[in-house]
Each structure stands twice: as structure tokens, then as C-alpha cells.
Amino acid sequence: MGKFVITTRANGEFQFNLKAGNGQTILASEGYTTKAACLNGIESVKKNSQDDSKFDKKESSNGKPYFNLKATNGQIIGSSEMYESVAARDNGIASVKTNAPGATTDDQA
């Protein structure tokens, strides 16, 4: 089962990573100024991860596929790592869809 891990950045902002059952990070958030906003971001991932249209499939400038998960308002709430192939990216999206809804929250901040 997946889990959201909340940590504090060096600049004092909060962030979360969604980790798969194997411990691999499958989605990383932006920085949040408050823990409450970070927790709202997690709830947004849980909700929006079930809507295929919220996954924005991209390619980096060096040709590596990745994706962003967007909220209803179009704001990016999480980004993936860079993948070696489109198939691996699509597997990452499937992993977010599987892991996010029932993920627990591990507050390490």
C-alpha cells in the first residue's frame, strides 16, 4: 500500500512524496508554506488521481517522459520522476492511480 510522506524543505516549506508499496517515490509535490496547505494537496491528489484527464503527459527537454498531476483549477499538485520510456511513465501514472486513494500519511515534518 502506498503512503504520503510529509517532510520540511531547507527553506521551511512543506512537501509530500507519494511512495508506492516498495518505497519508490512516484509523485512529488511543490513546496507549501503551511502544513495545512500540504495536507490539502494530499487530499487533492487522492481525489484527482482517479481522473485520467488530470494527468498531463510531458517530455523533458532531454527527451525523458514524465507527468504532472493537476487539480481541478489546473494547478500542478504533483510531478513524477523522469522515466526512460513512455511505457514506464504510463506505469507510473497507473501506480499513482492505484496507490493514492487509500494511501496513509506519514508526517515527518
Side-chain angles (χ1 to χ4, degrees), residues 2-72:
K3 70 177 176 178
F4 290 96
V5 179
I6 299 173
T7 56
T8 308
R9 293 180 170 182
N11 66 0
E13 290 184 336
F14 298 93
Q15 74 172 47
F16 64 81
N17 289 322
L18 174 59
K19 294 183 180 276
N22 63 5
Q24 181 179 4
T25 298
I26 50 178
L27 193 71
S29 77
E30 311 283 314
Y32 294 93
T33 54
T34 66
K35 190 176 287 185
C38 188
L39 291 167
N40 286 341
I42 289 172
E43 290 306 312
S44 185
V45 169
K46 289 182 177 185
K47 182 178 80 175
N48 289 292
S49 65
Q50 301 310 293
D51 183 345
D52 287 334
S53 72
K54 299 292 194 290
F55 288 93
D56 193 10
K57 298 177 181 181
K58 303 287 232 174
E59 187 175 291
S60 68
S61 57
N62 65 356
K64 303 259 187 192
Y66 71 101
F67 64 89
N68 292 319
L69 177 61
K70 293 188 171 184
T72 306

